[in-house]
Amino acid sequence: MQNEFTVSRRHLLGAAAVGAAAIGTSAIGAAPAGATGRGGRPSRVPRDKISVQLYTLRDQLAIDLDASLAELREIGYTRVEHAGFVGRTAAEFRAALDRAGLRATSGHVGIPQPFNAATWEAALEDAAIVGNKYIVHPYFGTGADGKPIRDSSVYKAFARDLNKAGALARKHGLSFGYHNHHNEFLRQDGGTRTGYDVLTRETDPGLVHLEVDLFWAFRGAHDPVDLIHENRGRIRQVHVKDLATSGSFADPGDGLIDFARIFEHSREAGLVEYIVERDDAGSPPRSPADALITAEVGFDYLDNLRF
């Protein structure tokens, strides 16, 4: 494992040099000298609140779970958000995290549809084994035909299931959240109310918090700052994923999203986790190891960001 880790690290450091200038440029552009927070001092993302969504590294983790997790710890991460257990049991995955010195504070787990309490209880038990504090439903918004949902009654029915899932999660000491894509921001029933409006209004804030994917919010033509104003104190987590000029994905700080402008409202949002993600980080034409570059670029960007 040591040889594989050394080779991986050498690849990481070589490729990261290319992104170093972009990190600096993005940080300077987002937080100019003299920008200050409360008390005249620049605000920053707390280092121990920076996480990474392991979906970003799905291909790399499949190649070498232990070495990849160890490298995340070397970069500076102390927490991760999982999306499955990479073919391991919850206990085996927890052991791998422990070896690397990481905590899976959050996890993406879809609630059963139709809702089944016993199935969801089993997922919550796994979450406890892994050590999650947060458990998040990752996707909704398309029908069986693959087309975006435009019927508010479908969103209302799903909201009822989210409330049920959240109530059971709370009994297990977990905070349950919902993660958006872009379909939710389509107007429903030919009116002005969006699917996201329905979900946020029909779910109990005490049972369902929000994990806002900043990339997908922008792709859905919605300003995350507006989402914060509309859902004060309810946005506990964000996915820090950048938008390339092509409309595709970019490493945090290399794209069009002004994260500093958003994070100026962190306190109002209620943020406790800033989670680096890039959906295509290890998919062709990128190599699996490129996901490690994304992880380092993202961590360094957030660690150096001032707002």
Side-chain angles (χ1 to χ4, degrees):
M1 184 180 79
Q2 183 62 37
N3 288 339
E4 292 176 354
F5 178 81
T6 301
V7 170
S8 178
R9 188 69 183 162
R10 188 181 301 119
H11 174 83
L12 172 60
L13 293 176
V18 177
I23 297 171
T25 301
S26 299
I28 291 170
T36 57
R38 295 177 181 271
R41 293 178 297 176
S43 297
R44 63 184 299 170
V45 175
R47 180 175 288 184
D48 64 349
K49 303 300 184 185
I50 301 174
S51 182
V52 61
Q53 168 51 255
L54 294 184
Y55 180 76
T56 304
L57 294 106
R58 57 196 179 278
D59 299 319
Q60 180 63 26
L61 295 175
I63 293 170
D64 193 326
L65 178 62
D66 282 332
S68 301
L69 292 178
E71 190 147 339
L72 290 177
R73 185 65 186 90
E74 178 74 11
I75 288 168
Y77 290 100
T78 58
R79 58 174 70 196
V80 300
E81 181 178 60
H82 67 80
F85 301 138
V86 198
R88 274 71 169 181
T89 66
E92 290 168 343
F93 188 72
R94 172 64 183 269
L97 292 168
D98 289 345
R99 288 192 295 272
L102 294 170
R103 296 176 296 138
T105 50
S106 184
H108 272 197
V109 184
I111 65 172
Q113 291 288 281
F115 188 75
N116 182 287
T119 301
W120 184 236
E121 289 272 8
L124 295 173
E125 290 169 5
D126 279 347
I129 292 170
V130 175
N132 294 156
K133 294 175 61 178
Y134 309 100
I135 187 167
V136 180
H137 182 87
Y139 185 80
F140 189 71
T142 52
D145 59 1
K147 296 181 180 180
I149 295 167
R150 296 180 181 272
D151 180 353
S152 65
S153 67
V154 178
Y155 275 98
K156 287 180 180 179
F158 184 64
R160 290 193 290 271
D161 286 346
L162 291 177
N163 282 330
K164 294 174 187 176
L168 284 174
R170 188 165 66 176
K171 289 181 180 180
H172 284 256
L174 292 162
S175 178
F176 176 66
Y178 178 78
H179 167 272
N180 65 278
H181 283 75
H182 55 329
N183 294 318
E184 297 93 328
F185 297 107
L186 290 174
R187 296 181 178 191
Q188 303 294 303
D189 309 321
T192 60
R193 190 167 57 165
T194 68
Y196 202 74
D197 291 335
V198 176
L199 289 178
T200 54
R201 294 175 188 177
E202 297 290 330
T203 52
D204 182 342
L207 299 177
V208 184
H209 74 264
L210 303 176
E211 179 180 78
V212 173
D213 189 303
L214 302 175
F215 171 95
W216 289 116
F218 270 105
R219 284 291 300 270
H222 229 78
D223 186 344
V225 174
D226 289 340
L227 292 180
I228 291 171
H229 293 334
E230 294 162 7
N231 299 281
R232 288 180 173 87
R234 193 175 181 182
I235 301 173
R236 308 294 287 164
Q237 301 165 287
V238 288
H239 275 188
V240 183
K241 181 192 307 179
D242 217 339
L243 175 64
T245 55
S246 65
S248 187
F249 307 103
D251 286 346
D254 289 348
L256 299 172
I257 298 178
D258 185 348
F259 293 107
R261 172 180 168 272
I262 298 167
F263 296 158
E264 286 174 355
H265 304 275
S266 292
R267 191 169 300 179
E268 179 185 358
L271 279 176
V272 294
E273 280 197 327
Y274 303 74
I275 305 168
V276 171
E277 185 181 36
R278 178 168 172 166
D279 292 8
D280 68 341
S283 302
R286 295 169 61 86
S287 73
D290 285 334
L292 293 166
I293 307 300
T294 292
E296 181 155 32
V297 169
F299 184 90
D300 289 347
Y301 174 74
L302 289 178
D303 193 36
N304 286 287
L305 185 65
R306 301 294 181 270
F307 46 89

